[in-house]
Amino acid sequence: MTDQTDSPSSGTLSPAAVLLQDFSLEMTGKDVPALLDSVHAISVGTKVNVTFLGNEDLDMRVAAARAVRDNGFLPVPHISARRLHSEQETREFLEALQAVNATESVFVVGGDPSEPMGPYDSSTDLIASGLFAEYGVKEVNIAGYPEGHPDITDAMLWDHLQRKSALLKDQGLQSTILTQFGFDADPIIDWVREVRARGIDSTIRLGIPGPAGIKRLLSYAKRFGVATSAGIVKKYGFSITNLLGTAGPDKFVADLAERLAAEPTAGDVKVHLYAFGGLQATSEWARDFSAGVAR
């Protein structure tokens, strides 16, 4: 585990270094050993999201959240609305998370099932239930899709984003918008502008893929409907014809940071790193890249 040290003021850092300050990470319930191998590269207090996958159970999710907390980080458990079978199951999960001090921040998402397994058809429904405040939740992360969603219209995405933001504000809860990962700064900047134009002032965490095998990155992009044209992947720093190499997001982060720094309405924007190439590789990349681009 790294020691907390005083960091330089943002005025002495490059835009890329500023953007990567206070980045968050993501792990699955099975990644506890990987987390323990990565603590040397992660600053105390870093937010670490814990997924809610169909092949994980409550005990695994809670154990992973506890491991995050025990190692000095802030767990952000995912809660998949359509995977919940009942309000009782929801309460049991929140109660178990609260018992390990892991409900301060959560990420609420609709989830993959095409049909809900219980009473919640969407993350909006789950937020509207008002359950979170009962279990000590202070911040709710909600999903954002700068490049849209393959199964949801843009109009519906914007409607739900605004409704969720309003619900959380009414409930006195902080909100953060955590986005799907992307490779292209153009739609991300346009989407950030639109979020602010709609009066949503939440913190935004932009999803960025950490260093990973190129074939794996393209596979994830295809699965989630993320653009991967030859021009975009060239900007990202690798050739689409070379699937055997490993790519890091250095060029993409630098470009995105410069453009955000010049965007007057961007507001509070941070980074969420998807650890497609492994938690340790992603954490070490963030540490080393931040040090390399600091002025």
Side-chain angles (χ1 to χ4, degrees):
M1 187 185 305
T2 57
D3 293 329
Q4 282 280 43
T5 56
D6 292 332
S7 58
S9 66
S10 58
T12 66
L13 297 175
S14 70
V18 171
L19 182 61
L20 276 173
Q21 285 184 317
D22 191 27
F23 65 84
S24 56
L25 293 162
E26 188 156 317
M27 62 179 282
T28 71
K30 299 176 181 178
D31 284 339
V32 172
L35 176 70
L36 299 180
D37 288 340
S38 307
V39 295
H40 65 281
I42 308 174
S43 296
V44 170
T46 296
K47 289 184 174 181
V48 180
N49 288 36
V50 180
T51 59
F52 193 114
L53 302 179
N55 60 357
E56 299 167 347
D57 58 23
L58 183 148
D59 290 342
M60 182 182 295
R61 296 169 189 136
V62 173
R66 179 169 53 197
V68 172
R69 175 66 73 181
D70 287 349
N71 282 279
F73 313 125
L74 177 63
V76 184
H78 289 200
I79 304 175
S80 178
R82 290 195 193 94
R83 292 191 185 278
L84 295 167
H85 293 84
S86 65
E87 179 183 322
Q88 181 60 31
E89 181 185 29
T90 308
R91 288 184 177 277
E92 288 175 358
F93 184 39
L94 290 170
E95 184 176 343
L97 290 171
Q98 189 177 37
V100 297
N101 196 21
T103 56
E104 180 178 333
S105 180
V106 299
F107 176 52
V108 185
V109 66
D112 293 334
S114 57
E115 296 294 331
M117 298 178 178
Y120 311 114
D121 184 56
S122 66
S123 56
T124 308
D125 291 342
L126 184 51
I127 291 169
S129 72
L131 290 176
F132 293 120
E134 295 183 35
Y135 294 91
V137 174
K138 297 178 180 177
E139 175 195 46
V140 175
N141 294 255
I142 54 180
Y145 299 91
E147 296 187 48
H149 190 289
D151 300 318
I152 307 174
T153 66
D154 286 349
M156 185 174 291
L157 287 174
W158 284 117
D159 176 62
H160 276 262
L161 185 63
Q162 290 185 275
R163 287 167 59 193
K164 286 182 284 191
S165 298
L167 281 167
L168 293 170
K169 188 168 290 188
D170 289 345
Q171 294 173 21
L173 299 176
Q174 298 175 21
S175 62
T176 292
I177 305 171
L178 192 156
T179 78
Q180 180 57 273
F181 73 94
F183 298 108
D184 189 5
D186 290 341
I188 292 174
I189 295 296
D190 289 342
W191 180 85
V192 170
R193 288 174 181 157
E194 182 67 17
V195 170
R196 300 312 188 202
R198 289 173 179 262
I200 301 172
D201 58 2
S202 307
T203 295
I204 296 173
R205 284 191 177 273
L206 298 174
I208 293 176
I214 294 169
K215 189 173 183 180
R216 173 175 289 187
L217 283 173
L218 295 180
S219 174
Y220 276 109
K222 182 178 180 181
R223 176 182 172 188
F224 294 109
V226 175
T228 55
S229 71
I232 291 170
V233 296
K234 184 178 180 181
K235 285 199 298 183
Y236 187 58
F238 60 85
S239 168
I240 199 168
T241 60
N242 176 15
L243 299 182
L244 300 180
T246 297
D250 304 50
K251 292 183 179 180
F252 173 54
V253 170
D255 177 42
L256 184 61
E258 291 284 351
R259 295 184 61 178
L260 284 168
E263 189 62 39
T265 64
D268 187 19
V269 180
K270 304 178 186 295
V271 162
H272 178 73
L273 295 172
Y274 289 93
F276 297 143
L279 197 59
Q280 183 173 348
T282 301
S283 304
E284 291 177 348
W285 172 84
R287 178 198 61 191
D288 296 344
F289 180 76
S290 296
V293 295
R295 287 195 184 122

